[in-house]
């Protein structure tokens, strides 16, 4: 499994993408047998599938985000919502300087509540940022129920 994109500057120049995909993962506990990067790995695979299906630029993942609810578990590392917001704003500004004004965020965890604010603020002047639904909706929420 390849977690990081391997495109070169030449690849990006030839592709001339108008949309960029940014996977956002986590570095948190997943029980006794799964690695701390589980959410990041899943998010990267989803983002790679999007990049394989559409002419978009795939960015490397943000691997540490808002996992405060897992703070008591060994290995979990979090950043503040303010920091995540600032990182995404900086990425958006950098992309805009290169002529890319559309960003798709592939969110790998429900703890990144700040992403709804990021999307809302970024889209004041028109649609430019979208985010995948939080994974706690649908099948993932059923998997978290005790006894399943």
């Amino acid at each position: 499994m390849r977690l990081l994109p391997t495109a070169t500057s030449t690849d990006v120049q030839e592709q001339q993408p108008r949309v960029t995909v940014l996977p956002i993962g986590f570095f948190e506990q997943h029980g006794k047998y799964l690695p701390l990067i589980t959410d990041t790995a899943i998010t990267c695979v989803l983002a790679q599938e999007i990049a394989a299906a559409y002419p978009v630029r795939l960015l490397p993942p943000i691997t540490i985000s808002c996992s405060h609810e897992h703070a008591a578990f060994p290995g979990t590392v979090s950043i503040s919502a303010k920091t995540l917001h600032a990182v995404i704003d900086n990425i958006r500004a950098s992309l805009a300087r290169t002529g890319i004004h559309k960003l798709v965020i592939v969110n790998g965890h429900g703890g990144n509540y700040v992403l709804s604010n990021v999307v809302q603020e970024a889209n004041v002047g028109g649609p430019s940022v979208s985010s995948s639904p939080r994974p706690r909706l649908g099948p993932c929420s059923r998997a978290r129920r005790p006894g399943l």
Side-chain angles (χ1 to χ4, degrees):
M1 171 177 34
R2 181 175 48 91
L3 293 180
L4 299 175
T6 58
T8 65
S9 291
T10 304
D11 295 335
V12 174
Q13 184 177 18
E14 289 174 0
Q15 185 189 22
Q16 296 185 354
R18 295 178 41 202
V19 178
T20 298
V21 176
L22 175 62
I24 300 181
F26 293 81
F27 199 78
E28 66 184 17
Q29 69 81 30
H30 281 88
K32 192 173 181 178
Y33 300 104
L34 294 176
L36 295 165
I37 66 153
T38 295
D39 290 326
T40 299
I42 292 168
T43 304
C44 286
V45 170
L46 292 172
Q48 288 169 3
E49 290 297 317
I50 293 168
Y54 299 97
V56 298
R57 178 179 176 192
L58 179 60
L59 293 178
I62 294 175
T63 58
I64 297 174
S65 56
C66 306
S67 297
H68 307 291
E69 68 276 15
H70 295 276
F73 295 95
T76 297
V77 178
S78 263
I79 60 173
S80 71
K82 181 178 178 180
T83 299
L84 182 58
H85 194 295
V87 168
I88 294 170
D89 278 346
N90 278 265
I91 290 169
R92 284 184 47 240
S94 178
L95 291 169
R97 286 190 295 275
T98 67
I100 300 175
H101 299 280
K102 303 282 185 180
L103 178 64
V104 175
I105 297 169
V106 180
N107 180 28
H109 190 274
N112 281 335
Y113 300 111
V114 69
L115 293 179
S116 61
N117 298 104
V118 169
V119 171
Q120 182 183 37
E121 291 173 22
N123 291 330
V124 168
S128 65
V129 177
S130 63
S131 179
S132 64
R134 292 192 317 245
R136 52 196 253 144
L137 303 173
C140 291
S141 64
R142 287 191 298 275
R144 289 189 173 147
R145 286 189 214 144
L148 290 181

